[in-house]
Amino acid sequence: MALAGHACTRESAVATRIDISPCNACPVRSMSVCSALEADELKRLADILVSVKVDAGHTLFAEGDGADTLFNVTAGTMKLYKLLPDGRRQITGFLLPGDFLGLSINDTYAYSAESVTPASLCRFPRRRLEGLLEDYPKMQRRLFAMASSELAAAQDQMLLLGRKNAKERIASFLLMLSERARRRGYAENPVHVPMSRSDIADYLGLTTETVSRTFTQLKTSRAISLLEGGKVRLNDMEILQELAEGV
């Protein structure tokens, strides 16, 4: 219980409650777990959520904290990571608006979550949300589908780390971000890459120096262009696809 209390204290330091109901005008409702609910059912969901805003670099929760809260990302980018026994960090995923986080089969979180950019999230008490899932099986099915997509993404990352060289990994990463943006109705090219080179390295199993060098190589070959505001223009999709596929 002390761990869970510590997590809540840490979050409240930068979280801001928003008094208006966020569900009516939520820009990512169609992509989130609540997309399965009708208007009257959304009222029950809105009654148990708190909308919070966090600054970039904020730890939402840490591995080992009590898993008594769930979150839905409505704006910004989050990263999930685990600390390895030797002190290294392995980023296991980047979450975008519409993504859900905090699910745990145990009473503690199995990973840490930190904001890459300023972010907005809906925060749900775990027990009360579980009660709603029992009342609304269609919401439960939607959450299961999202969890299945996360598993598929984890399998893709295993392939990325085990079978591809640095250029192939970076190309795959950029195409993945582009595809995720397209599915959400955002611009797919240029692609928004708000993560630091260090974050990308910890996700792809590379060194920061290798990531920087590979971006430079792709830029020099004109496969990509590095733009201001953390954006990357994908100039030659055919080359990037071939790299990603190991051709």
Side-chain angles (χ1 to χ4, degrees), residues 104-119:
S104 176
I105 59 174
N106 299 313
D107 292 331
T108 58
Y109 295 115
Y111 52 86
S112 300
E114 181 181 318
S115 52
V116 174
T117 67

Side-chain angles (χ1 to χ4, degrees), residues 210-226:
T210 298
V211 169
S212 296
R213 184 170 61 250
T214 304
F215 268 98
T216 299
Q217 291 171 348
L218 291 172
K219 175 185 176 183
T220 301
S221 68
R222 299 185 179 180
I224 65 172
S225 296
L226 303 181

Side-chain angles (χ1 to χ4, degrees), residues 87-205:
R88 290 179 299 162
R89 181 185 65 166
Q90 176 64 57
I91 292 180
T92 58
F94 294 104
L95 302 186
L96 303 177
D99 287 332
F100 201 79
L101 70 154
L103 291 173
S104 176
I105 59 174
N106 299 313
D107 292 331
T108 58
Y109 295 115
Y111 52 86
S112 300
E114 181 181 318
S115 52
V116 174
T117 67
S120 299
L121 308 99
C122 292
R123 183 179 66 199
F124 305 94
R126 177 180 176 179
R127 300 306 178 195
R128 296 186 68 183
L129 184 61
E130 288 175 346
L132 281 185
L133 292 175
E134 292 180 2
D135 292 342
Y136 301 134
K138 56 188 175 182
M139 185 179 177
Q140 193 174 53
R141 289 192 295 270
R142 172 64 174 160
L143 192 57
F144 177 77
M146 295 175 73
S148 298
S149 295
E150 290 181 13
L151 179 59
Q155 292 171 335
D156 288 342
Q157 189 191 17
M158 289 175 63
L159 174 63
L160 205 65
L161 298 181
R163 297 290 184 180
K164 298 188 177 185
N165 62 34
K167 274 190 178 181
E168 293 166 352
R169 295 182 195 190
I170 295 294
S172 298
F173 178 68
L174 292 174
L175 291 173
M176 178 268 290
L177 290 179
S178 177
E179 173 60 19
R180 291 181 71 182
R182 185 194 64 78
R183 291 201 305 264
R184 285 164 169 76
Y186 303 144
E188 58 191 279
N189 194 17
V191 63
H192 184 44
V193 186
M195 309 83 179
S196 67
R197 296 294 188 260
S198 176
D199 282 348
I200 296 172
D202 287 347
Y203 179 68
L204 297 178

Side-chain angles (χ1 to χ4, degrees), residues 7-166:
C8 292
T9 300
R10 178 171 56 232
E11 181 186 330
S12 62
V14 294
T16 303
R17 179 162 185 150
I18 303 174
D19 292 330
I20 62 172
S21 173
C23 293
N24 293 332
C26 178
V28 297
R29 176 180 166 187
S30 63
M31 298 177 287
S32 68
V33 66
C34 55
S35 64
L37 300 180
E38 303 295 337
D40 57 331
E41 298 168 334
L42 275 174
K43 175 65 169 60
R44 286 190 60 188
L45 185 67
D47 287 342
I48 69 168
L49 72 81
V50 173
S51 294
V52 297
K53 291 185 177 181
V54 297
D55 296 327
H58 172 63
T59 299
L60 195 64
F61 55 79
E63 182 178 352
D65 283 350
D68 53 358
T69 309
L70 302 172
F71 300 86
N72 195 60
V73 183
T74 56
T77 302
M78 304 291 299
K79 62 186 175 187
L80 308 179
Y81 67 90
K82 292 180 69 71
L83 293 178
L84 305 179
D86 60 4
R88 290 179 299 162
R89 181 185 65 166
Q90 176 64 57
I91 292 180
T92 58
F94 294 104
L95 302 186
L96 303 177
D99 287 332
F100 201 79
L101 70 154
L103 291 173
S104 176
I105 59 174
N106 299 313
D107 292 331
T108 58
Y109 295 115
Y111 52 86
S112 300
E114 181 181 318
S115 52
V116 174
T117 67
S120 299
L121 308 99
C122 292
R123 183 179 66 199
F124 305 94
R126 177 180 176 179
R127 300 306 178 195
R128 296 186 68 183
L129 184 61
E130 288 175 346
L132 281 185
L133 292 175
E134 292 180 2
D135 292 342
Y136 301 134
K138 56 188 175 182
M139 185 179 177
Q140 193 174 53
R141 289 192 295 270
R142 172 64 174 160
L143 192 57
F144 177 77
M146 295 175 73
S148 298
S149 295
E150 290 181 13
L151 179 59
Q155 292 171 335
D156 288 342
Q157 189 191 17
M158 289 175 63
L159 174 63
L160 205 65
L161 298 181
R163 297 290 184 180
K164 298 188 177 185
N165 62 34

